[in-house]
Amino acid sequence: MGVKPAIGRKSNKNPPIFSHEFVIQNHADIVSCVVMVFLVGLMVQSTSPIASLFISLHHNVSGVEPTREAPKGEQFLYEAGWKDACAVFFYSLVCIVMHAILQEYFLDKISKKFHLSKSRLSALNESGQLVVFHLVTLFWGGDAIMREGFIFNISKLWDAYPDHPMSFLLKLWWIVQAAYWLHTIPELYFQRIKKDEWAARIRHAAAAFAFVAAAYGFKFQRVGVCLVVLHSLAEFVAHSYRLNNILRGEREDFLDKFLGLVNGSVFVVVRLCSLVLGVLTFYFGLAGAAPLLLRVAALSVLVTFQVYLMYNFISETIKQRQESRQLAQSRPKKEKKEKPKKEKVKKAPVEESDLPEVDQNTNKTLRQRQAAVKAK
């Protein structure tokens, strides 16, 4: 007995229930059913407190609902707490469903249209998912930064630390960030990622989740959202450039050079801005407000991470230039070998004469007259 998949990887075969293939093909449907259980539980009075623990945001420190006396009410502000782990779990399930929808209705159709190889298909799926995620992170986080006024008053990043309550949108943004990187671990199994790629992707997800958890737990949410938005900008451009290379091939045309220049420029600017923002916040802004050990540790991690990314970027750029030079050097050699062959075929015997051009024309005229006389 088997069930055909509705969302996710489709197959003509119907695998047995509870088999690995069945779970992989129907994982989005299974997870969406679990999500529906939580949503239905929120509507039932007896299970509503348990369901709201996973769906709603908790640990609010202020806020008043609208009333007749105060129609606008008062904005709800939140802080970090242990109940946020339940919300991270629930929204990680939502991320799995959204991942499957994006894979099924967009990325799979693109891969079928371009007939990509297995390696390019894996890169397309990875970059396609990350482009969407970083784009959402960029706009959502940028909107939160604008609403909180961090750009026009940068001192808000460290003023009144550690009393930094979050708005609803900002806290939900942090919850979704943690949930996304958490959901990437089971996706390695659901998307049939090769085992040799697991280690690199798990390290990437673990590092991102650790950064989000540390910034959220140590109440660095304000400077953290700025750093994550900057990083997402660079990652969005980088994965867009990677998608261009995957779909169009490695063409050395104007578009490829332009996107490469934009990618490099944005990457360097983001790294410098992150370092400047980190030094301003952790070294100067939080001086006296946060423990010295915590400030030094946070700044050290940030600087080390930026240097590591810069080193990898420079190494990759040098490697690509060396490969392009080798290709450029190999092309002229082929042309030189082909030229003599073409000349031998095209060349025809030509009679050469030491006489001037006028005398040569005179000889031609005499020969033509002699031929005409003989013909008569």
Side-chain angles (χ1 to χ4, degrees), residues 72-224:
K72 294 184 178 180
E74 186 179 344
Q75 183 184 13
F76 281 88
L77 298 177
Y78 301 84
E79 63 180 4
W82 67 270
K83 293 181 181 179
D84 297 335
C86 300
V88 169
F89 171 75
F90 174 77
Y91 287 102
S92 65
L93 299 179
V94 176
C95 288
I96 291 175
V97 177
M98 298 303 297
H99 188 119
I101 292 173
L102 180 61
Q103 183 71 40
E104 173 71 17
Y105 294 103
F106 294 96
L107 297 179
D108 285 350
K109 291 183 178 180
I110 293 173
S111 63
K112 290 178 182 178
K113 182 178 179 180
F114 286 89
H115 305 287
L116 301 174
S117 61
K118 289 184 178 180
S119 59
R120 286 181 176 270
L121 179 61
S122 177
L124 171 69
N125 294 335
E126 181 185 11
S127 293
Q129 296 285 349
L130 288 174
V131 159
V132 176
F133 168 70
H134 287 300
L135 184 63
V136 173
T137 298
L138 186 61
F139 280 99
W140 190 352
D143 179 67
I145 291 172
M146 295 295 294
R147 288 175 181 270
E148 299 291 337
F150 297 153
I151 293 180
F152 304 104
N153 188 5
I154 197 172
S155 62
K156 283 187 175 182
L157 297 178
W158 55 78
D159 284 346
Y161 179 86
D163 186 18
H164 282 177
M166 296 171 284
S167 62
F168 177 84
L169 288 177
L170 183 57
K171 177 160 184 171
L172 183 60
W173 183 87
W174 279 105
I175 296 295
V176 171
Q177 288 292 313
Y180 180 86
W181 294 114
L182 184 64
H183 104 282
T184 56
I185 305 300
E187 282 295 340
L188 298 175
Y189 171 72
F190 293 145
Q191 298 297 325
R192 297 189 181 95
I193 304 300
K194 294 181 180 179
K195 292 294 181 67
D196 54 354
E197 297 181 11
W198 280 35
R201 296 199 183 189
I202 289 174
R203 284 197 301 268
H204 183 200
F209 182 82
F211 176 83
V212 171
Y216 189 76
F218 289 107
K219 298 186 177 182
F220 293 140
Q221 298 97 341
R222 295 184 179 182
V223 65

Side-chain angles (χ1 to χ4, degrees), residues 275 282 293-307:
L275 289 173
F282 296 112
L293 182 61
L294 180 61
R295 289 165 46 218
V296 172
L299 186 58
S300 300
V301 170
L302 178 62
V303 172
T304 303
F305 181 64
Q306 302 302 322
V307 172

